[in-house]
Amino acid sequence: MCGIVGVVSKTPVNQVIYDSLLLLQHRGQDAAGIATANGNNFHMYKANGMVRDVFRTRNMRGLLGTSGIGQVRYPTAGSASSEEEAQPFYVNAPYGIILVHNGNITNTLQLKEEMFRIDRRHINTNSDTEVLLNVLAHELQMTNPGYSLDPDTLFTAVGGVHRRTQGSYAVVALVAGFGLLAFRDPFGIRPLCIGKQETAAGTEWMVASESVAIEGIGFEFVRDVLPGEAIFIDQEGNFHSRQCATNPSLNPCIFEYVYLARPDSCLDGVPVYNARLRMGDYLAEKIKRVMPFGDIDVVMPIPDSSRPAAMQVASKLGVDYREGFFKNRYVGRTFIMPGQAVRKKSVRQKLNAMGIEFKGRNVLIVDDSIVRGTTSHEIVLMARNAGANKVIFASAAPPVRFPNVYGIDMPTRGELVAYNRDDEQIARMIGADKLVYQDVEDMKQAMRDMNPKLNNFEASCFDGNYITGNITAEYLDRIERARMMPEALSDRDAGGGADRDAGRSQLHLQLSGD
């Protein structure tokens, strides 16, 4: 999971991109980067850390131009938390292209081999984003060996990317001297949307992972990018789009609605906040079926993403709703923190149980999901230490039983508390008196209630259905082995603690162009 943004403006764009990345900070806290285009010049700065820590005034002054892209990142599938793998990535031929990506390319090894053996392109890092960038560059070069470039050429090249690349990808790129290109994979797994703003100088455009980044900046939300669709905005602000995939279908990642996206975003026609409320309705019905009446005194959420579901559960059950946990907002999201030890420690730093709300009560705690169980175990222990009589734990999402390979950092089966365990076994592991999970079909129906046009979802971590069709047991075994390599573990657990100035990247490039 990452957050990406691209802007074509009539005025300097560096501050707009910076502000947009702040609105997308929840999608990644490992690294941040911005690249801008000033005529044929690219300017880039990227480093490990949060947006507010990465960019200083001196860096912002160097990001010149009226178009640009940005990304906030967290590493997935065993990738290192290194400066070198922070985005954007740049390639100088053809034209000069600089690119950011949200997702995970599942045939990266095959593409790397093709890059070396057939395309004669060198890949310098372990990042699938660099591979994706070079596939796009090669397809552009093959589509148009000359220098002239138009939207048709770009869209033909994106069609080539779709044919060669498997997995999930939402992409925003700058092509030197021409404009901004954005596209989404044919399954529409990762989100991407379009916004615009009318000014006296003309129309300004923005693409971003979530609508909150568009509306929070003052732009007007226009629509979502369709699965397989590519859009191109030239330097004058002219908008072009085309469907570039053969058989596109919309299968948005359902974990976006459960946890990843901000509640004030709307993704593929589904308001995230309303979807979480609806999940609470279905969860309440499940609790009524499996829990004795009157065995719950109070319902409490784990702030913040489970709050809408918990409110609906309390309302439907006719039980008091209380805020029993106080959240320290200056600690990052534990789900995306590298390393189990770091996650476990941060739970206590982030949450504090208020004894007055727990003492002598049977407490139903509602969380958005349970992935590794580390956080859940610590929360149950906190509730008991605060004086709770019984602790019932409910998850607004179904059990996470399968690895995710499309850009969410839970790739190994051994890390998942629900893998090969039933509800009673999981309840004992996290220390709860009882555990209630949402049903898979109820979760999906909650989204369809918001947008009846959604027929299918990428819900592999819940139902084991990998919609791209190329995920095998051998693939899952390979990423597990890679994740468990000692050097990979030491990199991830280090949490980017090396000297912050070491390896920072500032780029100023002079590129030829029309």
Side-chain angles (χ1 to χ4, degrees):
M1 180 189 71
C2 301
I4 61 176
V5 65
V7 179
V8 176
S9 182
K10 301 299 182 181
T11 57
V13 77
N14 52 359
Q15 188 66 53
V16 173
I17 296 177
Y18 177 92
D19 293 343
S20 300
L21 292 182
L22 287 177
L23 292 167
L24 295 172
Q25 186 73 84
H26 61 285
R27 300 187 66 86
Q29 302 165 11
D30 181 71
I34 295 175
T36 59
N38 185 24
N40 294 327
N41 295 334
F42 279 155
H43 309 280
M44 180 174 70
Y45 187 74
K46 59 181 180 177
N48 277 358
M50 307 272 278
V51 174
R52 66 173 183 264
D53 300 321
V54 167
F55 299 101
R56 298 284 186 258
T57 301
R58 63 181 180 275
N59 311 130
M60 297 295 290
R61 286 173 179 162
L63 296 170
L64 306 174
T66 57
S67 61
I69 60 177
Q71 196 233 32
V72 289
R73 170 188 182 265
Y74 90 100
T76 62
S79 61
S81 176
S82 67
E83 302 276 0
E84 290 75 16
E85 296 193 7
Q87 299 183 37
F89 274 90
Y90 166 77
V91 69
N92 69 344
Y95 314 108
I97 307 169
I98 202 158
L99 178 147
V100 292
H101 158 230
N102 174 33
N104 187 51
I105 307 304
T106 57
N107 63 333
T108 296
L109 293 181
Q110 172 193 333
L111 291 171
K112 275 188 173 182
E113 177 65 21
E114 292 176 5
M115 290 287 106
F116 176 76
R117 186 169 48 85
I118 301 172
D119 300 347
R120 303 304 186 203
R121 286 181 169 270
H122 174 68
I123 307 300
N124 197 50
T125 71
N126 292 320
S127 173
D128 60 340
T129 302
E130 187 184 12
V131 174
L132 179 59
L133 169 60
N134 276 273
V135 172
L136 173 62
H138 178 78
E139 292 300 316
L140 268 175
Q141 199 162 15
M142 294 299 99
T143 301
N144 183 20
Y147 186 77
S148 62
L149 188 63
D150 57 28
D152 288 342
T153 303
L154 285 165
F155 295 150
T156 300
V158 172
V161 173
H162 289 332
R163 287 189 294 273
R164 294 182 64 181
T165 306
Q166 298 171 349
S168 65
Y169 48 95
V171 173
V172 184
L174 291 173
V175 184
F178 291 99
L180 183 145
L181 174 69
F183 54 94
R184 195 176 178 192
D185 73 72
F187 293 93
I189 298 172
R190 302 260 72 87
L192 194 65
C193 55
I194 308 166
K196 70 175 182 178
Q197 179 173 251
E198 300 294 344
T199 72
T203 304
E204 299 177 334
W205 294 93
M206 176 184 288
V207 292
S209 294
E210 296 185 29
S211 61
V212 67
I214 289 172
E215 295 170 337
I217 296 300
F219 280 59
E220 173 193 354
F221 175 81
V222 176
R223 64 176 176 87
D224 296 285
V225 177
L226 300 175
E229 182 185 23
I231 66 170
F232 175 66
I233 304 163
D234 63 30
Q235 292 180 311
E236 287 70 45
N238 299 308
F239 182 93
H240 310 265
S241 67
R242 180 182 297 176
Q243 178 54 252
C244 300
T246 305
N247 295 301
S249 62
L250 181 57
N251 305 265
C253 172
I254 206 162
F255 211 73
E256 292 276 355
Y257 305 104
V258 171
Y259 175 83
L260 301 180
R262 264 182 51 159
D264 44 347
S265 284
C266 183
L267 306 180
D268 292 307
V270 175
V272 175
Y273 182 80
N274 296 70
R276 291 174 183 171
L277 288 173
R278 195 71 180 122
M279 289 171 67
D281 291 337
Y282 284 106
L283 180 61
E285 294 303 317
K286 174 73 174 289
I287 293 169
K288 286 179 181 179
R289 295 196 300 269
V290 302
M291 287 288 298
F293 181 78
D295 204 26
I296 300 170
D297 297 322
V298 63
V299 175
M300 295 181 183
I302 303 302
D304 288 313
S305 49
S306 63
R307 188 171 282 124
M311 289 191 297
Q312 290 302 102
V313 168
S315 176
K316 295 291 182 179
L317 297 181
V319 177
D320 287 343
Y321 171 90
R322 289 288 187 270
E323 296 278 351
F325 293 97
F326 178 79
K327 181 178 181 180
N328 177 359
R329 301 185 183 278
Y330 300 97
V331 177
R333 303 178 85 180
T334 56
F335 174 79
I336 62 176
M337 285 187 174
Q340 192 81 331
V342 177
R343 276 189 295 270
K344 186 173 180 179
K345 179 181 178 182
S346 68
V347 174
R348 295 281 180 158
Q349 295 174 333
K350 186 172 75 169
L351 291 177
N352 183 51
M354 295 182 284
I356 192 172
E357 297 294 347
F358 288 89
K359 192 170 183 179
R361 290 177 169 178
N362 296 336
V363 179
L364 171 62
I365 296 174
V366 178
D367 207 351
D368 48 46
S369 58
I370 305 172
V371 181
R372 298 170 176 88
T374 307
T375 300
S376 304
H377 178 269
E378 291 296 310
I379 286 169
V380 171
L381 187 59
M382 290 166 64
R384 293 200 186 282
N385 290 340
N389 180 40
K390 286 185 179 180
V391 180
I392 303 103
F393 209 95
S395 170
V400 178
R401 300 193 187 278
F402 305 94
N404 183 284
V405 299
Y406 299 121
I408 301 175
D409 189 25
M410 46 179 173
T412 65
R413 287 157 283 192
E415 290 180 289
L416 305 177
V417 70
Y419 181 68
N420 278 343
R421 296 186 181 96
D422 60 29
D423 292 1
E424 290 186 4
Q425 291 173 315
I426 301 167
R428 287 196 297 270
M429 287 191 69
I430 67 173
D433 293 289
K434 189 169 183 61
L435 173 64
V436 182
Y437 275 110
Q438 182 86 266
D439 291 334
V440 173
E441 286 308 312
D442 284 347
M443 174 187 63
K444 293 180 179 180
Q445 189 57 47
M447 309 309 155
R448 296 190 188 103
D449 290 346
M450 299 297 105
N451 181 3
K453 295 180 181 179
L454 287 178
N455 296 316
N456 197 22
F457 301 91
E458 197 301 293
S460 56
C461 57
F462 302 112
D463 61 16
N465 177 29
Y466 296 96
I467 60 172
T468 57
N470 66 315
I471 304 303
T472 63
E474 291 74 18
Y475 177 87
L476 297 177
D477 290 340
R478 187 172 69 248
I479 62 173
E480 288 190 8
R481 287 194 300 270
R483 186 181 178 91
M484 296 308 295
M485 289 173 62
E487 57 269 29
L489 286 175
S490 62
D491 282 344
R492 293 182 62 79
D493 288 341
D499 185 278
R500 286 188 42 78
D501 292 328
R504 288 189 175 220
S505 178
Q506 181 89 42
L507 174 70
H508 297 275
L509 301 167
Q510 178 68 44
L511 301 161
S512 59
D514 290 344

